[in-house]
């Protein structure tokens, strides 16, 4: 029997078309991107996380000369939220990226391990985590939940 996994996502033409609160989140991700430590890949990533209290956590990629020792922007932000605000649910995560590592028409989208961490963050709360992926074109791809990014994810 053939089964299907389907999900919908929204494509917002520009950042200005987002509600004000989400524009603030995009600005926070861009500010974080500007502080990324990425001397090896020269690919800067910024992530911002909106908590239910209204607090915004910012993270960026942190690289290391021993390459695997670095960490992605999404996990820096999510682990900071988990470390310092474990009881403040995560409502949204926004991701921006800049650099030549990926082609201009490829999607800005989190890597597999970051999706796995997002899934576990979502499993610790009842609220779904909305994902905003700011594309190089300026379009924003909106997903209602992180589960859509990792079908058949490894969960408890
Ligand atoms: N990177 C992120 O920060 N997030 C992702 O989802 C993908 C990749 C970082 C890791 C590394 O510092 C650089 O981008 C190049 O892979």
């Amino acid at each position: 029997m053939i089964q299907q996994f389907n999900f919908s996502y929204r494509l917002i033409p520009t950042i200005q078309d987002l509600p004000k609160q989400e524009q603030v989140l995009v600005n926070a991700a861009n500010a974080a991107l500007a502080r990324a430590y990425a001397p090896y890949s020269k690919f800067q990533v910024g992530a911002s996380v909106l908590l239910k209290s209204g607090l915004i956590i910012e993270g960026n990629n942190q690289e290391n000369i021993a390459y695997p020792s670095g960490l992605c922007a999404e996990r820096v932000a999510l682990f900071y939220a988990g470390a310092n605000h474990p009881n403040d649910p995560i409502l949204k995560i926004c991701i921006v990226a800049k650099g030549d590592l990926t082609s201009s028409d490829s999607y800005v989208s989190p890597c597999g391990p970051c999706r796995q961490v997002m899934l576990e963050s979502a499993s610790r709360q009842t609220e779904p985590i909305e994902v905003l992926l700011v594309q190089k074109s300026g379009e924003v791809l909106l997903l209602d939940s992180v589960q859509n990014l990792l079908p058949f994810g490894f969960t408890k």
Side-chain angles (χ1 to χ4, degrees), residues 41 43 45 61 63 72-74 101 109-111:
S41 72
F43 187 75
V45 186
N61 50 334
E63 299 186 347
C72 292
E74 297 91 323
L101 197 62
S109 184
C111 74

Side-chain angles (χ1 to χ4, degrees), residues 77-155:
L78 291 169
F79 288 154
Y80 184 95
N84 297 291
H85 306 279
N87 300 315
D88 199 348
I90 294 168
L91 300 185
K92 298 171 196 273
I93 181 166
C94 171
I95 301 158
V96 298
K98 190 176 125 195
D100 297 335
L101 197 62
T102 56
S103 61
S104 54
D105 57 350
S106 71
Y107 275 101
V108 170
S109 184
C111 74
C114 287
R115 294 175 194 218
Q116 181 67 32
V117 169
M118 287 181 200
L119 200 59
E120 184 116 356
S121 298
S123 79
R124 295 171 64 179
Q125 59 186 48
T126 49
E127 295 83 347
I129 301 177
E130 200 181 325
V131 185
L132 290 85
L133 304 173
V134 182
Q135 304 305 315
K136 290 179 180 169
S137 62
E139 286 181 316
V140 184
L141 210 144
L142 275 177
L143 295 99
D144 290 336
S145 100
V146 296
Q147 276 81 0
N148 292 339
L149 280 174
L150 197 62
F152 299 107
F154 183 49
T155 53

Side-chain angles (χ1 to χ4, degrees), residues 15-109:
I15 291 155
Q16 285 72 35
D17 297 312
L18 292 169
K20 184 80 190 119
Q21 185 201 45
E22 294 185 355
Q23 291 187 31
V24 170
L25 198 62
V26 172
N27 291 343
N30 277 317
L33 178 149
R35 298 189 303 269
Y37 178 66
Y40 306 104
S41 72
K42 300 193 170 27
F43 187 75
Q44 288 120 0
V45 186
S48 54
V49 166
L50 175 69
L51 303 182
K52 199 170 185 175
S53 66
L55 195 67
I56 292 179
I57 305 293
E58 297 177 6
N60 45 38
N61 50 334
Q62 295 292 316
E63 299 186 347
N64 190 278
I65 193 163
Y67 288 180
S69 301
L71 198 61
C72 292
E74 297 91 323
R75 276 176 286 165
V76 169
L78 291 169
F79 288 154
Y80 184 95
N84 297 291
H85 306 279
N87 300 315
D88 199 348
I90 294 168
L91 300 185
K92 298 171 196 273
I93 181 166
C94 171
I95 301 158
V96 298
K98 190 176 125 195
D100 297 335
L101 197 62
T102 56
S103 61
S104 54
D105 57 350
S106 71
Y107 275 101
V108 170
S109 184

